[in-house]
Amino acid sequence: MIRRVVLLAALTGFAAVLGACAGHGGTSTSGMLPQGMSPAFNTAKPSPSSVPDLPEYPVVYPQNHITTVSLEAQINIATELPAFFWQGQAGIAPTIFVNPGDTIVLDLMNSLPGPGSSGDMNLHFHGLTVSPKRPADDVLTMLAMPGQTLHYVVPIPKTQQPGLYWYHPHVFGQTDAQVGKDGMSGAIVVGGLERRVRGLANMKARVIIVRATGLTDSGARNMDDQQDMARQQVVITNKPCVAEPGYTVSLNGAVRPVIPFSPGQSQLFRVINASGHKTLKLAVENEQLQLVATDGVALGTYPGTGPTETLPFIIVPPAGRAEFVVSAPSSGTAKFRTQCYYSGPGGDPDPEIELGVLQTTGKALRGIARPARLLAGPASPQSDPLPPPAMTRTITLSEGPNLMFINGKSFKLGDAPMYVAKSGTVEKWIVSNVSQEVHDFHVHQVHFVVSAINGVPVSHPYWADTVVVPHYLDKKPGTVTLLVDFRNPIVRGTFMFHCHILDHEDRGMMATIRVE
């Protein structure tokens, strides 16, 4: 049986512009607030080394159970790249906070230059169990051309699992550019995780968005054709852990920031991998990590699984999220890294990168001692045993010289659904990878249980919406076995499943399914 620490190994598978804002779509402090999350902007003074502290994005809270946000997509003159603008601030995508049963109301104005598909814009509310029909999470028919505005109304089910989700554009053929290179993305937090994992209440929580964008350390544009070709050559030769030209990895837009701790303090890191293609292998120097949730679902939600796992590292694929507790480094400082990750002989290099530095400063504060235990909270609908699968499907991921395929078909807009599933059922999907690099499988609207890797049962199955599919090895395809949950009636309609390595998605490794 595979334990999670082995499973994670087997899965080889901003900065200083935040100021006080108010008004429509602003940072309201009314309504139900998340415990342990500060509604304020980051006002910490720079550290003596003049390395910036980790910025915190503004948080928009619900008023009368509605969280209202207005975003504009336009060119950021500082970077010459498309970016989200919020309340006139370039490159700021606020964190959207909701409680189960609330509604997100979001207006997205497209002010990008046109014409052409590169200026088209929409949003995907990644991981939320919400309707795929307009005006909710519809990426198939909702598309704003330059000069147009989209109006989203996204009701959050009362059964939505509390945890970390995110939003980003989902324009076919443009996702790698808009989300990956341009860094257009923002966080969504569904409140209540402290009730699922007791011991998190009053703990400092940090939402951390990891991006790998075509910018330099100073924020200037970096991704030109020559550097893009250099990156492609690195991928072709795939020397593991070599530097990757043309990309800068940042935390909330800051490069290698300081993350301050008080002595003895524990913090909840809520990390989104918003990169286009980079698989993260997160670790803190000389420290263990206490994983409490993946892809918005607490570990203890699945029957028989404990509330935490203590791990030396946590693998987070593109679009994946990990929520884990980190303790103040006893030595005073500790490096926060993504370690080298081998993605297969044809995959991305994913070298080791220092993401930031944990730094213990000041005096110990009252009430922040490390929790003695993190305990599982009350059960949820996803804690119930799953019914037997109504259908078993085999899905094959493959590559060609220019296009990529699911079941031998490269996606085109207007394609008929590849599958039709029955609402109220669970299906068993065996996802097979016959290529020489890992893929990152994602299904919109629903979560699935990861039950086996390469045919070996997982001893602690867990809920996720993204999973690494191992590469072809020893003349055998890599496989993952998933139990895909279509029981929530809100997800009836047509939606996508695809590889979330975004250049793979753009090259056709995507298909649709209709649930009726």
Side-chain angles (χ1 to χ4, degrees), residues 396-401 403-411 504 507-510:
T396 302
L397 311 179
S398 62
E399 301 183 5
L403 299 176
M404 296 197 177
F405 309 91
I406 294 181
N407 292 344
K409 186 174 180 60
S410 187
F411 179 77
H504 297 184
R507 291 162 62 190
M509 192 172 280
M510 182 159 61

Side-chain angles (χ1 to χ4, degrees), residues 336-366:
F336 180 38
R337 296 190 180 101
T338 177
Q339 298 176 347
C340 174
Y341 177 84
Y342 181 62
S343 60
D348 293 287
D350 289 337
E352 178 169 310
I353 298 172
E354 182 180 321
L355 301 175
V357 177
L358 278 60
Q359 183 170 292
T360 303
T361 58
K363 298 180 180 180
L365 302 177
R366 296 180 62 185

Side-chain angles (χ1 to χ4, degrees), residues 259-400:
I259 306 175
F261 279 71
S262 297
Q265 184 183 25
S266 291
Q267 297 184 12
L268 176 66
F269 281 22
R270 318 186 84 165
V271 178
I272 300 170
N273 183 351
S275 72
H277 62 274
K278 183 175 296 296
T279 300
L280 302 175
K281 186 177 178 181
L282 299 176
V284 172
E285 184 179 26
N286 300 321
E287 295 288 340
Q288 296 285 297
L289 308 177
Q290 284 186 279
L291 182 67
V292 299
T294 57
D295 290 356
V297 183
L299 298 188
T301 302
Y302 190 82
T305 301
T308 71
E309 285 203 56
T310 301
L311 303 169
F313 59 84
I314 298 170
I315 290 177
V316 187
R321 286 89 65 213
E323 298 176 76
F324 52 94
V325 173
V326 181
S327 297
S330 55
S331 61
T333 62
K335 293 179 180 179
F336 180 38
R337 296 190 180 101
T338 177
Q339 298 176 347
C340 174
Y341 177 84
Y342 181 62
S343 60
D348 293 287
D350 289 337
E352 178 169 310
I353 298 172
E354 182 180 321
L355 301 175
V357 177
L358 278 60
Q359 183 170 292
T360 303
T361 58
K363 298 180 180 180
L365 302 177
R366 296 180 62 185
I368 62 166
R370 300 179 184 182
R373 296 183 67 188
L374 295 174
L375 303 175
S380 73
Q382 285 179 286
S383 302
D384 298 333
L386 294 174
M391 175 76 68
T392 297
R393 306 186 193 273
T394 298
I395 297 166
T396 302
L397 311 179
S398 62
E399 301 183 5

Side-chain angles (χ1 to χ4, degrees), residues 127-428:
L128 293 178
T129 305
V130 295
S131 172
K133 300 177 182 179
R134 63 168 59 217
D137 189 24
D138 175 9
V139 300
L140 288 168
T141 72
M142 292 185 72
L143 189 69
M145 292 183 289
Q148 297 180 332
T149 297
L150 294 175
H151 180 67
Y152 289 95
V153 180
V154 187
I156 309 300
K158 291 183 178 181
T159 56
Q160 182 71 55
Q161 292 296 304
L164 185 60
Y165 304 86
W166 65 304
Y167 60 95
H168 60 83
H170 205 292
V171 180
F172 178 56
Q174 300 299 324
T175 54
D176 188 38
Q178 293 176 343
V179 182
K181 295 177 185 177
D182 300 345
M184 299 181 76
S185 54
I188 301 171
V189 174
V190 177
L193 184 61
E194 72 282 354
R195 294 189 291 275
R196 287 275 181 262
V197 186
R198 291 171 176 163
L200 296 181
N202 301 317
M203 185 181 292
K204 170 67 178 179
R206 296 187 182 274
V207 175
I208 302 174
I209 304 178
V210 183
R211 300 185 179 96
T213 58
L215 302 174
T216 65
D217 286 14
S218 63
R221 187 172 182 172
N222 190 33
M223 179 57 68
D224 58 27
D225 292 340
Q226 184 176 359
Q227 290 164 326
D228 205 8
M229 291 175 63
R231 174 189 171 265
Q232 292 177 23
Q233 186 63 36
V234 169
V235 172
I236 292 169
T237 58
N238 194 31
K239 297 176 181 178
C241 297
V242 299
E244 187 178 30
Y247 283 83
T248 298
V249 178
S250 63
L251 305 183
N252 293 353
V255 178
R256 294 182 293 278
V258 169
I259 306 175
F261 279 71
S262 297
Q265 184 183 25
S266 291
Q267 297 184 12
L268 176 66
F269 281 22
R270 318 186 84 165
V271 178
I272 300 170
N273 183 351
S275 72
H277 62 274
K278 183 175 296 296
T279 300
L280 302 175
K281 186 177 178 181
L282 299 176
V284 172
E285 184 179 26
N286 300 321
E287 295 288 340
Q288 296 285 297
L289 308 177
Q290 284 186 279
L291 182 67
V292 299
T294 57
D295 290 356
V297 183
L299 298 188
T301 302
Y302 190 82
T305 301
T308 71
E309 285 203 56
T310 301
L311 303 169
F313 59 84
I314 298 170
I315 290 177
V316 187
R321 286 89 65 213
E323 298 176 76
F324 52 94
V325 173
V326 181
S327 297
S330 55
S331 61
T333 62
K335 293 179 180 179
F336 180 38
R337 296 190 180 101
T338 177
Q339 298 176 347
C340 174
Y341 177 84
Y342 181 62
S343 60
D348 293 287
D350 289 337
E352 178 169 310
I353 298 172
E354 182 180 321
L355 301 175
V357 177
L358 278 60
Q359 183 170 292
T360 303
T361 58
K363 298 180 180 180
L365 302 177
R366 296 180 62 185
I368 62 166
R370 300 179 184 182
R373 296 183 67 188
L374 295 174
L375 303 175
S380 73
Q382 285 179 286
S383 302
D384 298 333
L386 294 174
M391 175 76 68
T392 297
R393 306 186 193 273
T394 298
I395 297 166
T396 302
L397 311 179
S398 62
E399 301 183 5
N402 299 307
L403 299 176
M404 296 197 177
F405 309 91
I406 294 181
N407 292 344
K409 186 174 180 60
S410 187
F411 179 77
K412 296 181 180 62
L413 287 172
D415 283 350
M418 184 170 286
Y419 298 127
V420 176
K422 186 176 180 181
S423 179
T425 67
V426 171
E427 294 190 351
K428 180 180 179 180

Side-chain angles (χ1 to χ4, degrees), residues 27-109:
T27 51
S28 168
T29 57
S30 63
M32 296 178 64
L33 304 186
Q35 294 191 34
M37 179 181 289
S38 169
F41 297 108
N42 181 14
T43 57
K45 295 180 180 179
S47 64
S49 64
S50 36
V51 175
D53 283 355
L54 177 71
E56 297 181 4
Y57 286 113
V59 184
V60 185
Y61 294 103
Q63 297 187 48
N64 299 318
H65 303 289
I66 297 175
T67 303
T68 304
V69 181
S70 293
L71 291 177
E72 184 176 6
Q74 60 173 291
I75 297 297
N76 182 351
I77 60 174
T79 65
E80 301 179 345
L81 295 173
F84 285 134
F85 281 63
W86 179 74
Q87 296 195 347
Q89 299 178 87
I92 302 301
T95 296
I96 298 173
F97 183 86
V98 288
N99 293 293
D102 289 348
T103 297
I104 298 171
V105 175
L106 189 151
D107 288 320
L108 175 63
M109 178 186 297

